[in-house]
Amino acid sequence: MSVSRICTCAMLLVAGVFATSAVAQSTSTTFQVRMSVESVCAFTAPGATDVDFGDQPSTALGIDAEGALSVTCTLGTPYNVTLNAGQNSGAGGVADRNMTNGTALLPYQLYRDPGRSEVWGNTVPTDTVTGTGTGAVQTIPVYGRVPSANFPAGSYLDVVTATVVY
């Protein structure tokens, strides 16, 4: 093989390499990744623990008990937790809560504070518990008091509905 023929082959080989590089092309585009997060609040397990005053003698005064509500709200979501007057309230609504045993009524009250001075009601935001969601379960105590157990013997009960407004 002659030198000129070797050179020609080598040049064709080099040209082929460059031609292959010049043929490779690309193009690009963009797209969006989306999601909309909605605010939500919910009572989460156990939801609520009862305010149980236990067994008391009829001479007992100022009987205190505590329950709790478990709420989970979306991070940053403001909320209010309300308590209704219960199933046996008198004309005074939340200010007149009663447990019942047949026709006998035993007054009690639910409070937002451990000092039991702030009645817990259902007027947002006047007498409710406010908070801001953390994305995790938040436990909210419910403080209860029976002023006097001087009522007919028996088991007394009321059912109160808690609502989270957000």
Side-chain angles (χ1 to χ4, degrees):
M1 194 179 302
S2 73
V3 174
S4 70
R5 201 166 171 87
I6 293 176
C7 283
T8 303
C9 287
M11 287 172 47
L12 286 174
L13 183 61
V14 170
V17 168
F18 286 119
T20 303
S21 297
V23 173
Q25 298 179 16
S26 65
T27 185
S28 299
T29 189
T30 61
F31 62 93
Q32 297 177 341
V33 178
R34 297 183 208 200
M35 182 175 88
S36 177
V37 176
E38 296 179 6
S39 291
V40 67
C41 288
F43 290 104
T44 49
T49 56
D50 295 338
V51 178
D52 186 348
F53 294 100
D55 296 331
Q56 301 294 331
S58 63
T59 57
L61 299 172
I63 307 146
D64 290 341
E66 186 177 322
L69 301 170
S70 299
V71 177
T72 302
C73 292
T74 304
L75 179 65
T77 300
Y79 64 86
N80 282 272
V81 178
T82 71
L83 297 183
N84 75 353
Q87 293 179 337
N88 305 299
S89 66
V94 298
D96 193 16
R97 288 183 168 115
N98 295 288
M99 291 179 270
T100 187
N101 176 11
T103 59
L105 297 176
L106 190 146
Y108 74 97
Q109 193 49 267
L110 299 174
Y111 300 92
R112 299 174 281 156
D113 65 311
R116 291 166 173 81
S117 62
E118 299 173 353
V119 172
W120 197 335
N122 55 8
T123 305
V124 174
T126 305
D127 59 1
T128 61
V129 170
T130 62
T132 302
T134 64
V137 176
Q138 293 174 281
T139 302
I140 303 167
V142 179
Y143 304 99
R145 178 170 285 161
V146 171
S148 170
N150 189 16
F151 289 87
S155 295
Y156 290 80
L157 177 70
D158 194 18
V159 177
V160 175
T161 300
T163 303
V164 62
V165 180
Y166 60 98

